[in-house]
Amino acid sequence: QVQLVESGGGLVQAGGSLRLSCAASGRTFSRYIMGWFRQAPGKEREFVAAINWSGGSTYYADSVKGRFTISRDNAKNTVYLQMNSLKPEDTAVYYCAAKESGAWDYWGKGTLVTVSS
């Protein structure tokens, strides 16, 4: 069982930056693929970024490539999402997720990011 707690959301102006963190419980954090998803008002939840167990492979949605960076610190059981050049359309609740393979098994409760124009 893994529990995930996101933090770092808030209000930022367009063009600004935020760094989200996701702290995971449990000793086996390094076994998990970690991901970030987001859900904007009135829209379905969508994939943002993912990172493999070692941090050596990362994956991004086209909409955030070149602006967002996912990283992890296995010693701290934490995954990060550095978000730069934020746009109003990035406004959403951002969720952290974890899986060993296949479907995403574990989800956090989310942190709200609001980007003002």
Side-chain angles (χ1 to χ4, degrees):
Q1 191 78 4
V2 176
Q3 291 186 328
L4 305 172
V5 180
E6 303 96 336
S7 62
L11 175 63
V12 63
Q13 288 188 332
S17 298
L18 279 176
R19 188 176 82 154
L20 305 183
S21 299
C22 172
S25 64
R27 299 179 181 178
T28 59
F29 175 75
S30 61
R31 290 169 44 184
Y32 291 92
I33 298 167
M34 301 299 298
W36 287 96
F37 291 74
R38 66 186 182 186
Q39 187 167 19
K43 295 187 177 181
E44 293 189 353
R45 186 153 51 187
E46 64 175 2
F47 169 78
V48 174
I51 188 167
N52 75 335
W53 68 273
S54 69
S57 295
T58 56
Y59 311 88
Y60 297 94
D62 288 343
S63 58
V64 307
K65 276 181 185 175
R67 300 188 298 122
F68 290 10
T69 302
I70 188 171
S71 61
R72 67 190 296 162
D73 185 338
N74 288 340
K76 295 182 178 180
N77 281 13
T78 302
V79 62
Y80 305 98
L81 185 68
Q82 178 67 43
M83 305 186 295
N84 298 330
S85 302
L86 282 161
K87 305 175 182 179
E89 51 263 44
D90 294 318
T91 294
V93 177
Y94 283 72
Y95 297 91
C96 177
K99 67 174 180 178
E100 292 190 77
S101 63
W104 295 92
D105 297 309
Y106 305 103
W107 294 86
K109 293 184 178 181
T111 185
L112 177 62
V113 172
T114 303
V115 184
S116 63
S117 57

